[in-house]
């Protein structure tokens, strides 16, 4: 549920995941974990990324599980446990991602260091795959064998590994041999595909729709321009609609004169530049679309484009699009068609 639950709102997503059987949550930063604690979430939370010395105390004090990769990091956590509560840590092994983690050869020494402090518990040992979305890649196999060697080395000297985990969404969907004791499912939790060029596996549907309402309808005369720079000019008389969403909300400016939205089942094209707060669309002449009509900006790919479709068009991933949805966009949470909570700039409000 890192990055505000991939833009969906981490508190409500965390609650839904826990209610559905998840036994633990994972975030990228200490702040993200503390935010969940402040919302009353008591289940284990792992911080997967590097932790600054200054935030280590707050992290341990908030009962977050920390990732460690060096003796220095273990020492920092140890120092905190001398004046604060005991800590649970996960040993992260770099088996080939070359991002965060300790070299496999150093894993035993690091685990010894942790085991030498009775106030520290190894809650887990994990690694992260670099090429999980390519089932034909030999890289994942190589990383798994490196990981298995580390596990055997730790067991050979009776050092505990805790929970073993490796798989992101792609590996979880790809093969059970990467599942170990737990999986760290991110993007698939939201009904989005790790690789936007592939279809969704059966049973998965996007959880989020981005919606708005038409806030002005007007008519362009032939030749008149729209929005900053007049990059679009009407070929003839054309009705246009104003949609109060822009790049300040996370609707990419790169969709200027390229994007499409859905109104009353019609696919309507973006006309001219996407602004910070507003975007203009062209309205087909045969429609009677008017102010107040619902707009689906991003949907399931049937009438409104899906995040995956937009991502492919822009050469990016749904990950980047959903995590860019701004805080000022209110999130309405529906259960069986009824709004049960709203999170907006004033906070999370629940109705049940
Ligand atoms: C983000 C992340 C995940 C989840 O990845 P998805 O592709 O969204 O499933 C898993 N593990 C780590 C270490 C991550 O940073």
């Amino acid at each position: 549920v890192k990055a505000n639950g991939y833009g969906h709102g981490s508190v409500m997503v965390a609650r839904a995941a826990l209610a559905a059987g998840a036994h633990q949550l994972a975030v990228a930063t200490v702040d993200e974990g503390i935010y969940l604690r402040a919302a009353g979430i008591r289940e284990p939370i792992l911080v997967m990324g590097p932790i600054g010395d200054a935030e280590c105390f707050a992290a341990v004090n908030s009962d977050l599980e920390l990732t460690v990769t060096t003796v220095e990091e273990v020492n920092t956590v140890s120092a905190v446990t001398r004046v604060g509560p005991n800590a649970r840590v996960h040993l992260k092994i770099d088996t080939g991602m070359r991002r965060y983690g300790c070299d496999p050869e150093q894993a035993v020494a690091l685990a010894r260091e942790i085991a030498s402090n009775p106030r520290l518990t190894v809650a887990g040992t994990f690694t992260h795959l670099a090429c999980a979305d390519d089932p034909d890649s030999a890289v994942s196999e190589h990383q798994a064998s490196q990981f298995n060697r580390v596990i055997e080395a730790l067991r050979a000297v009776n050092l505990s590994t805790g929970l073993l985990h490796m798989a992101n969404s792609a590996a979880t969907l790809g093969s059970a041999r990467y599942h170990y004791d737990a999986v760290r499912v991110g993007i698939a939790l939201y009904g989005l595909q790790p690789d936007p060029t592939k279809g969704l596996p059966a049973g998965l549907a996007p959880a989020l729709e981005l919606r708005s309402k038409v806030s002005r309808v007007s008519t362009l005369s032939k030749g008149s321009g729209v929005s900053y720079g007049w990059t679009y000019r009407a070929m003839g008389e054309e009705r246009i609609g104003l949609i109060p969403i822009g790049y300040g909300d996370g609707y990419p400016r790169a969709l200027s004169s390229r994007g499409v939205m859905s109104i009353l089942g019609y696919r309507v094209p973006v006309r001219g530049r996407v602004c910070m707060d507003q975007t203009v669309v062209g309205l087909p002449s045969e429609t009677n679309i008017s102010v107040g009509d619902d707009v689906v900006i991003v949907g399931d790919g049937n009438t409104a484009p899906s995040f995956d479709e937009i991502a492919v068009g822009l050469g990016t991933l749904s990950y980047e699009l959903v995590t860019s949805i701004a805080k000022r966009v209110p999130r309405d949470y529906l259960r069986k068609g009824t709004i049960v909570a709203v999170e907006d700039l004033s906070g999370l409000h629940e109705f049940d």
Side-chain angles (χ1 to χ4, degrees):
V1 295
K2 63 186 176 184
N4 192 27
Y6 289 53
H8 292 60
S10 63
V11 171
M12 290 301 286
V13 170
R15 290 205 192 134
L18 293 166
H23 65 91
Q24 163 142 23
L25 303 166
V27 292
T29 67
V30 171
D31 259 3
E32 289 178 336
I34 290 175
Y35 186 72
L36 295 173
R37 287 282 182 254
I41 289 169
R42 299 270 155 267
E43 283 77 2
I45 299 172
L46 166 64
V47 179
M48 299 181 292
I51 292 163
D53 289 359
E55 55 187 2
C56 192
F57 181 82
V60 173
N61 221 30
S62 298
D63 195 23
L64 303 178
E65 296 183 356
L66 307 183
T67 296
V68 292
T69 65
T70 63
V71 171
E72 289 73 29
E73 287 167 354
V74 173
N75 289 342
T76 303
V77 184
S78 288
V80 163
T81 61
R82 255 175 254 131
V83 291
N86 292 352
R88 292 167 62 79
V89 299
H90 290 236
L91 190 54
K92 170 95 189 266
I93 317 295
D94 178 5
T95 58
M97 178 74 177
R98 295 292 177 265
R99 198 174 62 173
Y100 194 41
C102 82
D103 287 340
E105 296 71 41
Q106 273 136 40
V108 168
L110 201 54
R112 277 221 172 86
E113 193 69 28
I114 300 166
S116 71
N117 182 347
R119 293 181 299 267
L120 298 182
T121 303
V122 177
T125 301
F126 74 112
T127 191
H128 192 55
L129 296 174
C131 304
D133 47 359
D134 177 3
D136 300 327
S137 169
V139 176
S140 301
E141 283 301 333
H142 175 72
Q143 289 194 257
S145 75
Q146 293 276 99
F147 190 52
N148 292 338
R149 274 183 36 216
V150 168
I151 296 163
E152 279 157 29
L154 292 172
R155 286 182 177 153
V157 291
N158 278 324
L159 288 165
S160 70
T161 61
L163 207 64
L164 299 171
H165 48 111
M166 164 184 277
N168 57 7
S169 296
T172 303
L173 297 168
S175 169
R177 73 180 174 283
Y178 302 127
H179 290 185
Y180 293 85
D181 299 329
V183 293
R184 302 186 306 274
V185 177
I187 198 81
L189 202 58
Y190 307 95
L192 298 169
Q193 173 72 334
D195 178 345
T197 61
K198 294 179 189 154
L200 278 176
L204 287 191
L208 183 154
E209 254 183 12
L210 192 56
R211 306 181 71 109
S212 187
K213 284 187 191 296
V214 177
S215 54
R216 181 187 178 214
V217 171
S218 57
T219 304
L220 295 177
S221 50
K222 181 172 186 232
S224 62
V226 172
S227 188
Y228 289 121
W230 278 15
T231 57
Y232 175 80
R233 296 220 181 197
M235 312 272 259
E237 196 166 275
E238 182 180 5
R239 286 211 319 147
I240 53 170
L242 179 65
I243 316 302
I245 188 166
Y247 60 80
D249 300 292
Y251 189 70
R253 188 169 179 274
L255 292 175
S256 297
S257 290
R258 284 179 69 187
V260 290
M261 302 181 186
S262 167
I263 308 176
L264 303 182
Y266 294 95
R267 275 203 163 205
V268 299
V270 170
R271 295 304 196 205
R273 291 204 177 127
V274 172
C275 306
M276 188 187 290
D277 318 300
Q278 294 165 2
T279 297
V280 172
V281 295
L283 304 177
S285 52
E286 75 275 14
T287 66
N288 58 353
I289 292 170
S290 50
V291 170
D293 283 343
D294 286 323
V295 183
V296 187
I297 297 159
V298 187
D300 60 7
N302 290 322
T303 47
S306 65
F307 281 108
D308 283 340
E309 236 178 292
I310 297 172
V312 170
L314 295 180
T316 182
L317 298 173
S318 58
Y319 293 76
E320 188 177 28
L321 299 176
V322 288
T323 56
S324 299
I325 301 171
K327 228 182 150 181
R328 76 174 184 187
V329 177
R331 272 71 164 172
D332 293 347
Y333 296 92
L334 287 87
R335 186 176 296 129
K336 298 194 170 88
T338 306
I339 296 181
V340 295
V342 174
E343 189 167 27
D344 58 19
L345 283 181
S346 70
L348 176 64
H349 311 280
E350 291 173 83
F351 310 124
D352 65 341

